[in-house]
Amino acid sequence: MDRRTFVTSLGVGATVGLAGCVIDDSGGNGSGNGNGNESGSGNGNGDGGGNGDGNGDGNESGNGDTTAEDVNVGMVYSSGGLGDESFNDMAYNGVEQAEADFGISYQNAEPDSPADMNDYQREFAGSGEYDLVCCIGFDHVTDLVQNAQEFSDQQFVLVDAVAETEGGDLVENVDNYVFREHEGSFQVGHLAGLLTTMEYDHGAASTSPDDPHVGFVGGQETAIIDRFEAGYIAGAEYANEDIEVSTAYAGSWDDPGTGQEIATTMYDNGADIVFHAAGATGGGVFEAAQSAERYAIGVDDDQSISAEGFSDVIVASMVKRVNTAVYESIESVVNGEFEGGSVQDLGLEEDGVEAVIGQDFEGELPSEVTDALAETREGIIGGDIEVPEET
């Protein structure tokens, strides 16, 4: 992956200025005139509060006209960081596309742990140089509720959670994106349940239908991952109510060794297909699938592409379009249409989640399987199929 900028390894409790941590090696828009920041705000002339040394384009309130090239975005990822070929990388794809389409600039921050997220949020917001701070992952929410209220002029986006005050009100300067993961997980569970009940042999794997059995590997036990698990189990049981579903959690988003160990045990015990919702830990599931000559299901991105070395066993992925959330939020800032205090709730109907067939399996699944998946997709969207959100 060609990454532009990185922020790494902020020690717990440490505070490091952005000038020392954020490296913009592609130029970006950091060469503004005078003392203006990248958003072009706060340094106009006149007597409206500017610094007097700006480029002279400010109005009386000290704000100049902002173009797309002026927009600067701070990206604070979830723990596990870039290179997970999944959740964080999908967010990165969104900001990369925004850069290509709009000419914006951005800087990346990769927390080593959730404890670092508060520091990065505050560093980006406190610098006054960022038009938008994107917080990727539910672990941000507790710190963000406090920081967004303190930095009330800063625009934030939160992906995978909702920022609310203690009174239950939406934080006014945070746009929230959440997903109905259980809907897409039902679809891949339905696929797994159908395949494990039939003889199927394609790519580098095959099924053994004598004992229908599938598996699920989670990263950490959270409400979000429980939605993945609940939907997957429901989909598998929709295909075959007698199916065996094994589930286990690795306790980490970036431990492929444990992921491989768990999945290997599942395959050894008869599972034909294992679905992971475990970030970079899922790479170990793919390793186990190839070794066992059984199938796997990816998550967040189309992992038959992002983890192409395993495309011969990744029969499908439950794609969660985090990239769309990041892209749309940046677009709203570019167009001057950012709306804080709002929630975007994305499921199958909104194309926020989707069961995507792996690139090596397109056109290679039995029509009875693809037809059944189309029917359950419409059933979920139309309300005829209710998908559980909890196990």
Side-chain angles (χ1 to χ4, degrees):
M1 173 176 292
D2 178 18
R3 302 178 200 143
R4 299 173 60 256
T5 57
F6 295 90
V7 181
T8 58
S9 190
L10 178 64
V12 175
T15 302
V16 182
L18 285 175
C21 282
V22 179
I23 303 169
D24 186 351
D25 53 15
S26 68
N29 60 10
S31 58
N33 297 327
N35 293 334
N37 62 26
E38 283 88 342
S39 65
S41 63
N43 294 327
N45 59 17
D47 51 8
N51 291 339
D53 293 327
N55 58 20
D57 293 331
N59 57 27
E60 290 186 355
S61 63
N63 295 320
D65 293 333
T66 299
T67 65
E69 289 78 11
D70 294 323
V71 171
N72 198 17
V73 178
M75 297 288 298
V76 189
Y77 294 93
S78 181
S79 55
L82 292 170
D84 63 0
E85 299 176 338
S86 183
F87 183 73
N88 284 309
D89 283 1
M90 283 291 277
Y92 177 80
N93 292 343
V95 72
E96 277 274 275
Q97 190 62 52
E99 180 196 40
D101 289 353
F102 307 126
I104 60 100
S105 292
Y106 67 91
Q107 282 74 40
N108 288 333
E110 298 181 64
D112 287 336
S113 71
D116 298 336
M117 294 175 181
N118 177 61
D119 296 307
Y120 284 137
Q121 290 176 20
R122 295 183 64 82
E123 290 291 338
F124 278 131
S127 73
E129 297 180 354
Y130 295 87
D131 302 279
L132 182 68
V133 177
C134 292
C135 300
I136 310 302
F138 65 88
D139 284 341
H140 283 277
V141 66
T142 300
D143 293 324
L144 182 59
V145 167
Q146 300 300 319
N147 291 331
Q149 292 179 89
E150 179 177 347
F151 298 98
S152 57
D153 292 333
Q154 175 67 62
Q155 297 172 142
F156 292 93
V157 164
L158 175 61
V159 175
D160 250 7
V162 176
E164 296 178 324
T165 65
E166 290 184 0
D169 297 324
L170 293 171
V171 179
E172 293 183 355
N173 54 326
V174 180
D175 189 10
N176 307 274
Y177 281 81
V178 293
F179 297 83
R180 299 194 295 279
E181 296 92 352
H182 51 295
E183 295 182 353
S185 297
F186 182 100
Q187 287 266 274
V188 295
H190 189 204
L191 170 62
L194 291 168
L195 288 181
T196 192
T197 59
M198 65 175 63
E199 289 187 2
Y200 182 69
D201 185 347
H202 182 73
S206 62
T207 61
S208 178
D210 294 337
D211 183 20
H213 186 178
V214 299
F216 173 83
V217 177
Q220 295 179 359
E221 295 188 57
T222 68
I224 290 175
I225 304 305
D226 192 51
R227 288 202 293 271
F228 281 94
E229 181 183 351
Y232 181 71
I233 293 172
E237 292 178 345
Y238 188 90
N240 184 341
E241 61 183 13
D242 297 322
I243 197 170
E244 180 178 354
V245 183
S246 299
T247 65
Y249 283 78
S252 173
W253 306 115
D254 57 357
D255 185 358
T258 297
Q260 183 172 3
E261 181 180 351
I262 292 171
T264 295
T265 298
M266 291 180 177
Y267 291 125
D268 287 346
N269 290 336
D272 288 316
I273 304 160
V274 175
F275 171 40
H276 89 87
T281 296
V285 175
F286 301 150
E287 292 275 5
Q290 278 191 335
S291 296
E293 297 183 350
R294 292 289 187 253
Y295 296 109
I297 295 174
V299 74
D300 294 331
D301 199 355
D302 179 353
Q303 293 200 282
S304 74
I305 295 174
S306 65
E308 192 169 16
F310 302 101
S311 64
D312 55 359
V313 294
I314 300 175
V315 66
S317 295
M318 204 299 279
V319 173
K320 176 175 170 178
R321 293 196 167 90
V322 176
N323 58 326
T324 298
V326 171
Y327 182 91
E328 288 184 352
S329 65
I330 295 171
E331 184 178 32
S332 73
V333 172
V334 169
N335 293 335
E337 298 172 349
F338 177 88
E339 292 185 10
S342 59
V343 178
Q344 321 304 325
D345 186 2
L346 307 179
L348 284 175
E349 185 173 9
E350 299 82 10
D351 291 326
V353 297
E354 183 181 5
V356 174
I357 304 303
Q359 62 174 336
D360 287 6
F361 295 85
E362 293 178 3
E364 300 295 339
L365 292 175
S367 59
E368 63 192 275
V369 171
T370 55
D371 290 347
L373 291 175
E375 289 177 7
T376 53
R377 183 180 188 278
E378 291 306 313
I380 294 168
I381 292 173
D384 296 325
I385 297 175
E386 294 186 11
V387 183
E389 298 184 42
E390 298 177 335
T391 54

